[in-house]
Amino acid sequence: MVESSNTSATRTRGRPRSDATNEAIVHATLELLESENYQDVSIDKIAAQAKVGKQTIYRRWNSKASLLLEVMTERIFNRMVGVVPSGDALSDIEDLLKRYFVQLRHPLADKGFRAMVAEAQFDADFREKFYSGFVNDRRYQVRELLQAGVEVGQVRSDLSLDLAVDILFGGIWFRLLSGAGAPLDDAFAKELVGILKPYLVK
Amino acid sequence: MVESSNTSATRTRGRPRSDATNEAIVHATLELLESENYQDVSIDKIAAQAKVGKQTIYRRWNSKASLLLEVMTERIFNRMVGVVPSGDALSDIEDLLKRYFVQLRHPLADKGFRAMVAEAQFDADFREKFYSGFVNDRRYQVRELLQAGVEVGQVRSDLSLDLAVDILFGGIWFRLLSGAGAPLDDAFAKELVGILKPYLVK
Amino acid sequence: MVESSNTSATRTRGRPRSDATNEAIVHATLELLESENYQDVSIDKIAAQAKVGKQTIYRRWNSKASLLLEVMTERIFNRMVGVVPSGDALSDIEDLLKRYFVQLRHPLADKGFRAMVAEAQFDADFREKFYSGFVNDRRYQVRELLQAGVEVGQVRSDLSLDLAVDILFGGIWFRLLSGAGAPLDDAFAKELVGILKPYLVK
Amino acid sequence: MVESSNTSATRTRGRPRSDATNEAIVHATLELLESENYQDVSIDKIAAQAKVGKQTIYRRWNSKASLLLEVMTERIFNRMVGVVPSGDALSDIEDLLKRYFVQLRHPLADKGFRAMVAEAQFDADFREKFYSGFVNDRRYQVRELLQAGVEVGQVRSDLSLDLAVDILFGGIWFRLLSGAGAPLDDAFAKELVGILKPYLVK
DNA sequence: CTGTAAGCGAGACGGTACGTCGAGTCTTCCG
DNA sequence: CGGAAGACTCGACGTACCGTCTCGCTTACAG
């Protein structure tokens, strides 16, 4: 489990965990991720780079994966982006995808994303956290937009919205993971929505 | 590169590599994969289990990942399944997906599949092999069916077939990787193909 | 340096150090020494056992070794034993050795003694304290008895008394350290003095 | 247990342990012992210095102590010294002690000796090996000389030879361990043997 | 039918990372 | 200021795995 100091507000006894130390670790991790592959970033290296004892890292995160997840969510995908529903659900979704893609074009984004997917395959705990948090947060956003579309009558109400969402994210993931370098650009967002459009709107 | 003994017909001098040894290694790998996570299956363990020297393994495969790929493709997804075009492309695709799903419900399939995806993130060589072989073989099959649909006038020719294929596989991957346990069953195959309805002429 | 609370009479400002705390630490140390080897007794464990902060220990002793030395000298070899000179120096020495041996048969004595010898090898500060205090106090007692023997004409005056003392303690140490379990009993005291007797008395 | 490659002549399977590697480890240990205290010589440092994997050290010795014992006995006290009995037991013993002292004045000897004594206090296995080997080998030599004296009628047969030996080694140990820097020189050898005068017949 | 190149089991090898532990110091809050 | 709690740095521990190397031995084709 991630036991980040900032989350556990109740512990009061003893010396509190230092936020500066947290920052040093996260920062060192980012620096190392820039210059090395994820698998080559070891806890030892992070500790050395951050001038921190290894124990200090293990006190906060129980694995490299947990640390990575926090680094990714807080630094690379640092804010949830969103769109205000305009009344045109499909257009909103296309906008949202475009915003996602901006983040995913961050130089560390795809390296980090792949690392998360890989870790998720190895570590059941991490998988749970990754999918129920990171992934679901984003799924939910899209689903809400679709739902709004249903409510204004733009989107058919007899469809599985979940499937539509899976399709969208599946398409993105496939591109991300295959490493083929196919770009996540505005055109792709348009295509994705385009292909779903006839399915959704009548 | 993998240089399996059976493929290299030109080497003649010296003692030939034993097929029985090959088999022992692959078999040991499968046995270990059943009882342990992929990351816990080490070459040392495989060698011990197969009563084989480590060198003997590295003579045949250049990494754990290569060995895995072969084990997966030859044992778990052991034959390419296919369908003969019936004239109804979407129905054919649905059939094909159902056949894929049969293989993917093999007890080692999803564990092995995840392992391959994870390895692909770490190892560029493996990624290349994995996507241009395993993945593309299957993509190609679906694409061909779609193309056949175009040729008989069932499927529209003004849309990107590649995108359609990505959508299908993306949906499947997403389900496989998320470990949510959402089943890859016939209903899902039907749903997926449903997405392609808009691709039909008229 | 050991700065036991009882010695520092001058510090007056702030909350005074608690004697009960001192006691708790020493007691916990003894308890742990009973059940574990010296090397397995860590300051962390002592602090936990005594329900005391580590700093509280380090405020009183500057190292594990210092704490050990005090525990040993104050609890195991808790009072200096002595004999009143009877006029027969050799008999007095034999008596003194017997009294030493009573202490050394304390269940923690040889474990503690070995620990001190070991620490003395590692830590120059401790070595100084150990030899100039614990060891020399006892050497001095024997030497005084010998000197008394010289003065009453029982012991030859042309001998190195230091050598005689070294021999006595050397014999004892050798037995203690070798862990052979050779007993430190009255018979051994008699033997030791017996072997020195012809050397000393004529 | 020490499982030095040179001793186990029977293992034939697999790649044999390299003598050069052994040598590199021992040499590195000696080098480090020169510049650092024993406690500061870690297996990590030895491995780094010897350009050897840690496992390679642990394959041969089960602890730092075992390695030390071998280094000490094979390099510092590298050959057992001895004397041929001349008929005068005490003179022979004095000669033998002088020879011991030559070895003990080796720059690493007392550092190494103390380290062995300290380790012996911590580790029962090591203690057993140390005393029944290193220590006893030397005790035995002295005892034999005394026994020879008994046989030629020079030494009294009604006294405990073991005690005499303990006395001699006790005196030496005490001087070695106390770190007082009292020299182990020829004069000391003469003094020690002087103690044994009462053992002479008549 | 014999030499020799390669395969083979076994296990040593240099490296690197792991996660834990201990020492001694520092920092909080509470009395 | 004392004290309990516990964070902090540093660095050692012993294990595991990777991919390579090196033994003695076996196998089967080539001359």
Side-chain angles (χ1 to χ4, degrees), chain A residues 16-41:
Chain A
R17 294 189 187 152
S18 158
D19 283 349
T21 301
N22 245 36
E23 174 55 27
I25 295 167
V26 169
H27 187 247
T29 305
L30 278 167
E31 256 177 21
L32 286 168
L33 272 177
E34 271 172 46
S35 55
E36 317 203 41
N37 288 328
Y38 171 67
Q39 58 179 353
D40 296 331
V41 177

Side-chain angles (χ1 to χ4, degrees), chain A residues 150-199:
Chain A
V150 169
E151 271 148 32
V152 301
Q154 183 193 21
V155 172
R156 290 167 55 183
S157 60
D158 59 336
L159 296 174
S160 163
L161 297 188
D162 282 326
L163 181 64
V165 176
D166 282 1
I167 289 296
L168 281 175
F169 282 100
I172 297 169
W173 278 41
F174 200 72
R175 218 164 244 223
L176 266 175
L177 295 178
S178 66
L184 296 178
D185 54 15
D186 290 359
F188 185 52
K190 195 184 188 76
E191 276 187 304
L192 277 174
V193 173
I195 201 171
L196 278 182
K197 188 168 187 175
Y199 170 73

Side-chain angles (χ1 to χ4, degrees), chain D residues 85-104:
Chain D
S86 67
D88 180 351
L90 261 54
S91 163
D92 289 348
I93 289 174
E94 188 179 325
D95 280 356
L96 185 56
L97 294 185
K98 284 176 182 167
R99 287 164 185 272
Y100 287 164
F101 291 176
V102 168
Q103 291 187 329
L104 285 166

Side-chain angles (χ1 to χ4, degrees), chain C residues 15 17-18 51-53 56 60:
Chain C
R15 176 175 171 181
R17 292 186 188 156
S18 157
K51 290 185 173 290
V52 141
T56 302
R60 291 165 160 79

Side-chain angles (χ1 to χ4, degrees), chain C residues 82-97 100 138-152 154-155 161 165:
Chain C
V83 293
V84 285
S86 67
D88 180 350
L90 292 184
S91 164
D92 290 346
I93 289 174
E94 188 179 324
D95 280 356
L96 185 57
L97 294 185
Y100 287 164
R138 283 154 182 82
R139 278 180 60 85
Y140 185 73
Q141 287 186 296
V142 175
R143 205 182 185 292
E144 285 293 279
L145 290 176
L146 276 177
Q147 186 61 44
V150 169
E151 271 149 33
V152 300
Q154 184 194 19
V155 172
L161 298 188
V165 175

